[in-house]
Amino acid sequence: MRIQTTAVLVAALLAGPSVLARGKKEVLPPYVLTAKTVSVVIDPASGISPEDPLANQTARKDVEKALANWGRFEPMLTGQPADLIIVVRRGQKHLVNETMPDPRQNDRAGVINPSDDGVQLGGKHGQPVNTDPVGATQQGATPSMQTEIGPQEDSFAVYNGTLAHPLEAPPAWRYMAPGALRPHSVPAVDEFRKAVAAAEKAAQTKP
């Protein structure tokens, strides 16, 4: 059994809640405002909880639906070329939890298309994008239960999808709060919309 301290937790401990939680205005880089496509992935460092094994997959679907309803970005399948990569992770019930690592939780066949009911899957195309962090579990390895230390807050982070290894770079924008990925309303997407709107307004007022 091994102890896995996720990158999200380390960032939280170093930066403090004022940076990761709501309430702090951050300047979005230009590539966020010019982005056309987005891919939503589950944090590769997040294991599967036996108590709620579909928690992260449900959160990903809820975020995809909220983004499709927003209509600003064209949603792409996990691993397909996208201007932005959004990494989601549901908060844990406890600081320390027993989880099962599964590198396949982001594997899906097809592409995402907006629909009246949210999103649908269609045919897969293009070359995959590497969203695996350094040290990620390799496909084919035998998974075993692990003791995972992670935040109890939901996490939503936006990365530059045009990089060779997007998740190794700092996120352009991040939101961590209890219930940030709450089904249906998905407050994290609303906060991201506000951040984009504020950044566009600021860009328009610059001389």
Side-chain angles (χ1 to χ4, degrees):
M1 185 177 297
R2 62 189 178 90
I3 299 293
Q4 178 182 359
T5 304
T6 67
V8 173
L9 178 61
V10 173
L13 293 176
L14 293 177
S18 62
V19 174
L20 301 180
R22 55 190 175 276
K24 179 179 176 62
K25 294 182 179 180
E26 299 181 52
V27 178
L28 296 178
Y31 68 79
V32 174
L33 302 184
T34 59
K36 303 296 184 182
T37 57
V38 64
S39 179
V40 183
V41 305
I42 298 170
D43 186 344
S46 176
I48 296 177
S49 171
E51 296 181 6
D52 192 359
L54 298 180
N56 284 320
Q57 294 185 35
T58 300
R60 177 181 59 192
K61 292 179 181 178
D62 289 334
V63 169
E64 288 172 343
K65 183 176 181 179
L67 290 171
N69 291 336
W70 179 5
R72 181 184 179 91
F73 306 107
E74 178 185 355
M76 304 297 292
L77 185 70
T78 301
Q80 295 306 297
D83 298 326
L84 300 178
I85 304 293
I86 294 178
V87 178
V88 298
R89 178 189 182 121
R90 287 292 299 272
Q92 301 182 154
K93 292 183 178 180
H94 311 287
L95 182 62
V96 179
N97 295 268
E98 294 295 316
T99 64
M100 176 74 73
D102 187 357
R104 302 167 299 174
Q105 62 182 332
N106 274 312
D107 292 346
R108 292 182 295 174
V111 294
I112 301 169
N113 299 312
S115 71
D116 293 339
D117 297 326
V119 293
Q120 295 178 338
L121 292 179
K124 186 176 182 178
H125 59 82
Q127 297 297 318
V129 173
N130 186 359
T131 56
D132 293 331
V134 175
T137 304
Q138 297 298 316
Q139 188 169 0
T142 302
S144 59
M145 293 299 293
Q146 64 186 15
T147 299
E148 182 176 330
I149 302 175
Q152 294 178 277
E153 298 176 315
D154 294 344
S155 175
F156 177 105
V158 181
Y159 293 82
N160 185 351
T162 66
L163 301 178
H165 297 277
L167 306 192
E168 294 179 20
W173 188 85
R174 178 170 50 201
Y175 183 75
M176 292 183 68
L181 302 177
R182 186 168 58 246
H184 308 303
S185 61
V186 196
V189 175
D190 287 338
E191 292 298 323
F192 184 43
R193 291 181 64 173
K194 293 176 184 177
V196 170
E200 287 183 327
K201 183 177 180 180
Q204 293 173 356
T205 58
K206 287 183 178 180

